[in-house]
Amino acid sequence: QLPLVESGGGLVQVGGSLRLSCATSGFSLDHYAIGWFRQAPGKEREGLSCISSSGGRADYADSVKGRFTIFRDNAKSTVYLQMSNLQPEDSAVYTCAANPDYRYYGDPCDNYFYGMDYYGKGTLVTVSS
């Protein structure tokens, strides 16, 4: 099991920004691809972004491309999701997830939007108009 913990959620006004963090305790994230998902009430979970363990590859869903940036600091075992120009439809519980490199023959970010191996409990983002 990989204990992922998200932080940084909260209430923000339309057009504002937030930075979410995904970290773990007692483990290194160096060899994990990390993804971000969100789920709003009554809606299906949506895969937003995935970053490879090296940070050399970052994928984004069309809904957030150009507004959200995923990056990581392996020295801190932390992955971030910088969100800007937030809109009310971005309100959701945001969850980070992980795929270990060793478990995948190809890139662990491939098809991340279908689901990943480990999930945190999420952090709530509310965008008010």
Side-chain angles (χ1 to χ4, degrees), residues 11-27:
L11 177 65
V12 64
Q13 291 186 332
V14 169
S17 299
L18 279 177
R19 178 179 291 182
L20 305 183
S21 299
C22 174
T24 187
S25 177
F27 294 85

Side-chain angles (χ1 to χ4, degrees), residues 54-74:
S54 68
R57 170 181 171 177
D59 293 349
Y60 297 93
D62 288 343
S63 59
V64 303
K65 199 173 295 182
R67 298 189 300 125
F68 291 10
T69 302
I70 191 171
F71 59 101
R72 62 192 302 155
D73 184 343
N74 282 349

Side-chain angles (χ1 to χ4, degrees), residues 6-54:
E6 303 89 346
S7 60
L11 177 65
V12 64
Q13 291 186 332
V14 169
S17 299
L18 279 177
R19 178 179 291 182
L20 305 183
S21 299
C22 174
T24 187
S25 177
F27 294 85
S28 169
L29 293 180
D30 288 7
H31 301 291
Y32 290 85
I34 303 295
W36 283 96
F37 294 77
R38 70 184 177 190
Q39 188 166 21
K43 294 189 175 182
E44 292 188 356
R45 185 181 64 196
E46 178 186 12
L48 304 177
S49 183
C50 184
I51 188 167
S52 62
S53 57
S54 68

